Amino acid sequence: MYMARGVAFACVASCAFAAPVHRELLLDSVLDSVGHVAGTANSLVSATAESVATGSSSWLQWGRTDEESEPYVSTYTTDNSSQPKPELLWSEKVMLMDGVGYHEHSHTAKDGYYIGNIPPIKRLGLPSLNLHDASQGVRTHHAAMIAQVTSWPCALAAGGTWDPALVRRWGVALGYEFLAKGVNVALAPGVNVARVARGGRNAEYLGGESAHLASRMAATYIEGMQSTGVRATVKHFGFNNQETNRNYYNARVDERTAFEVYYPPFEAAFKAGVAAVMCAYNLVNGTYACGSKELLTRDLRERLGFDGFVMSDWWAVHGFGYQNAGLDMLLPGNRMLTDGSHDFFSPDNLAKTSEPGVVDTAADRVLAEVLRAVPTCTPPYCGQEMLRARATSDEHVALSRQIATESVALLKNGGRLLPLQSGSRVALVGSACDARNDIDAMLRQWNLANYYTIGGSGRTIPLSPASVAAGLRAAWEKRVEYAGEGPFHLPLDPAPPAVEVVNGDHDDNVDLAVAAMERADVAIVCGATTAAESEDRPSLLLDQSGFIGEVLARATIPTVLVAMTPGAVLLPFAANATAIVHTFLAGQETGHAIADVLLGRENPSGKLPVTIPLSEEQTVLPCQPVEGVHISSVAGLWTQGGGGGYGVHYDCDYTESLHVGYLGLHDEPVGFPFGHGLSYTSFGYEWAEEPPAAFPPGAGGRLELAVRISAEEGPASGGREVVQLYLSFPEGSGEPRRQLKGFVKTESLAPGEGVAVALQLTCRDLSIWSVEETAWVAVPGAFLVEVGSSSRDLRLEATFTLAATVCSSSDSTGPTAPTGTTEGGVADPEE
Ligand code: BGC
């Protein structure tokens, strides 16, 4: 019999130890069964996997127990939210508040359970909630899932497309992948603003340094995903802006900063109808986020209007009574301490510690989402979906390639080196051009990352991602042969560029690189770095920074630097590179996207959602413990007392307040500014209509700015521009200047074509959060609007005044309005 019950999940969340992954299910046979042949993992084949491939074992009843011999099938089939809500018994209410499916005193889920599980209410025929990660696609917490799901670009790459309509399509595709895998609650999107440039999870967040970008992307992602019946979870609320000591730092943030910088993406998610919020690991102003009434009740519900349910991050509850603060669901819900007393949401404990009405309210919120979620399988009977179903498709792979391609930002293009000219001899330099994808190592370590995928709970391991070298080879297929490892030089084909791969042995060797460059016309030099959950990056450098610096310094031919990163990066050698192409970790299609841009098959249109600084000093570093505070790291997580534990924390002051990321750097030189990204097309900007001199009066008023964008020179196939609107408040408002408040991505424009773009500002855009009035208050006075191609390439400006009486406070609290459309080439028709 197949050893299903011995199969353990890779550890989730904060586990610091290597995940116990059983080898029986490892790759080849399993992948063969879904139509993929793994080229790399032959050593892992086992007799047990054969029974998986043939489906001839008890595997399909994975996790079957003696008590429960038949799978439970919900009588609900689809969205039932319009039906009268069924009456729950008290025992059923508490079932909706406490996760199940994990082994006691451990971090592993039982066989057949998802990363998070809320049991079905069988008496009423209600389905289970099957919760699963999420940031780069369906989390491959089991080896068998690899290649059954798409390894998408990371969320930051999707944000870097500046294309909300594309992100909506991503949300839809993700929704269908989750459904195919039996998941009806996705643990995404992440929308924390990138305060700390080195943040280990910045790649999991949609909007980089901009609350506005995150808000726009979160809204369309959620609308897309939830249209499939999969409920979305916006996370991590709030101020989970670093991974260093994420269970111990106490974010001290002033209210205005919270409302203006960190809350808007969450608010946009609420307006888009997101089902759930995940509260964060850290403390906020002295209280753990998941137990903070100020955060979860006052801010989240009363001030931001959230009406879904709040789930805890995994093991983020450290005391009794968090439900009274506004936490509705504890996850994963298992008991972590041997005396059982810390099963905080057990029926007994909820009965003892809940204020009147709290359990009713929490259960009601979860029930509302149970009724909306599409019923799938019921754990533990999810073997078919979880391990066998193929969720990816050719269409999804194509969409993933499109997102990756649109996220590529061309940072520099000296002498119009790119796209590469046909016939050039190209030396491909650096191990990162053909980066490995060590699946076995990733399966052993839950948060191991590589240059294609982030590490941690958001990881979707690709089977055989396209490296830059593979992308170029595929693009030049049939004309170029791969000659194996080591430096080699292919004979020149007269038509296409030839490719030379240097250091196929992954040993970045400057002398070999220089020798190879001597035989070439152009060098493509690759560099990359990784990021993982539970730790911040040790620096902002590329892993090959020294090598690249030397190679570029010694190059005597034009060079293209290709950088693949999980966020901001230092490029101290940028001046020595002729051209620079940047992308965020971009999943299985990485190399195809980059090759398409290098070769001019695609015209780059990505823009940086983060600043590329000149030095680490220009960025906010992760808060570290002050002297005398002893954080005993993992040991402190699971024991009380001793040298650590949850009583220990240290303050992390958000002293930069509103001046986060690019907003604090306007007066300093930077490497490449926020919003930057070139195209092979040059675009002209002009006002299509005289900009209004005053904000128009009237309830719900908005100011419209009409801009005409014309493609000047460029490829006949056209190019897309992201038109950005930056707003500066009247003097004395205390606001950072030049805040991104609107953008539109045009459709593709061929030379000679143009489009009128409408950018809009609402009263809310002209408002600040008033702590005195606990409300958004519009600032009367003269505003400066600048429109351009990046935060530092501003082509048009206008001023307008806002009279004191024009915006009422209801205008200022209303939903954030769409901020841009185009005429004759609508950029985001559904917005
Ligand atoms: C992460 C969450 C994730 C959860 C479940 C936690 O470690 O912070 O983002 O959804 O684990 O895997």
Side-chain angles (χ1 to χ4, degrees), residues 13 115 133 139 187 201 235-236 278 281 313-314 457 533:
I115 296 297
D133 295 294
R139 176 180 182 178
L187 303 174
R201 301 187 83 177
K235 69 188 188 184
H236 305 88
M278 187 188 293
Y281 282 125
D313 202 338
W314 271 231
S457 59
E533 180 180 342

Side-chain angles (χ1 to χ4, degrees), residues 112-415:
Y113 283 86
Y114 289 89
I115 296 297
N117 308 274
I118 293 298
I121 307 292
K122 295 183 181 173
R123 183 182 66 88
L124 299 169
L126 293 170
S128 59
L129 290 184
N130 304 343
L131 298 82
H132 202 76
D133 295 294
S135 296
Q136 220 171 333
V138 179
R139 176 180 182 178
T140 48
H141 68 303
H142 196 287
M145 297 165 79
I146 297 169
Q148 295 173 352
V149 297
T150 313
S151 177
W152 297 89
C154 66
L156 185 58
T161 66
W162 296 59
D163 188 343
L166 186 61
V167 168
R168 184 193 307 275
R169 286 170 61 205
W170 187 36
V172 172
L174 282 170
Y176 286 123
E177 292 208 16
F178 281 113
L179 278 183
K181 284 301 193 189
V183 175
N184 53 15
V185 180
L187 303 174
V191 298
N192 296 64
V193 170
R195 168 179 191 260
V196 172
R198 286 192 205 164
R201 301 187 83 177
N202 288 353
E204 293 189 56
Y205 300 136
L206 277 169
E209 293 170 359
S210 166
H212 180 80
L213 182 61
S215 303
R216 299 274 300 279
M217 296 308 195
T220 54
Y221 176 106
I222 290 161
E223 287 159 11
M225 175 175 283
Q226 294 197 157
S227 73
T228 68
V230 169
R231 309 304 291 158
T233 307
V234 67
K235 69 188 188 184
H236 305 88
F237 192 72
F239 314 104
N240 186 179
N241 302 111
Q242 67 175 58
E243 291 297 285
T244 302
N245 292 318
R246 61 182 177 170
N247 287 283
Y248 300 104
Y249 76 85
N250 173 35
R252 295 206 299 185
V253 193
D254 68 85
E255 186 177 311
R256 179 168 169 189
T257 301
F259 274 81
E260 293 190 18
V261 178
Y262 297 100
Y263 286 172
F266 289 94
E267 195 183 359
F270 306 154
K271 284 173 183 148
V274 75
V277 166
M278 187 188 293
C279 51
Y281 282 125
N282 48 283
L283 301 94
V284 180
N285 296 326
T287 309
Y288 272 110
C290 293
S292 166
K293 199 166 198 164
E294 282 188 2
L295 199 68
L296 300 189
T297 298
R298 188 197 64 185
D299 289 355
L300 189 69
R301 297 201 180 274
E302 294 167 7
R303 295 179 174 177
L304 299 173
F306 177 59
D307 63 1
F309 70 87
V310 180
M311 69 174 78
S312 73
D313 202 338
W314 271 231
W315 302 288
V317 172
H318 312 300
F320 292 103
Y322 282 28
Q323 70 278 17
N324 301 324
L327 179 69
D328 304 307
M329 181 187 288
L330 177 134
L331 288 164
N334 63 315
R335 286 187 285 164
M336 291 305 300
L337 296 181
T338 40
D339 64 3
S341 62
H342 287 242
D343 191 358
F344 299 113
F345 276 23
S346 70
D348 277 359
N349 285 332
L350 280 177
K352 276 187 222 144
T353 63
S354 300
E355 291 168 4
V358 163
V359 167
D360 297 335
T361 307
D364 207 48
R365 290 175 183 145
V366 180
L367 177 62
E369 294 304 329
V370 170
L371 294 173
R372 286 191 186 110
V374 167
T376 56
C377 56
T378 307
Y381 298 95
C382 289
Q384 172 66 33
E385 289 79 359
M386 209 187 288
L387 300 186
R388 200 115 200 241
R390 178 175 164 81
T392 186
S393 64
D394 291 349
E395 290 73 25
H396 286 194
V397 171
L399 181 62
S400 132
R401 181 168 175 163
Q402 188 184 344
I403 296 169
T405 306
E406 284 205 35
S407 75
V408 173
L410 175 63
L411 302 186
K412 181 176 179 184
N413 197 13

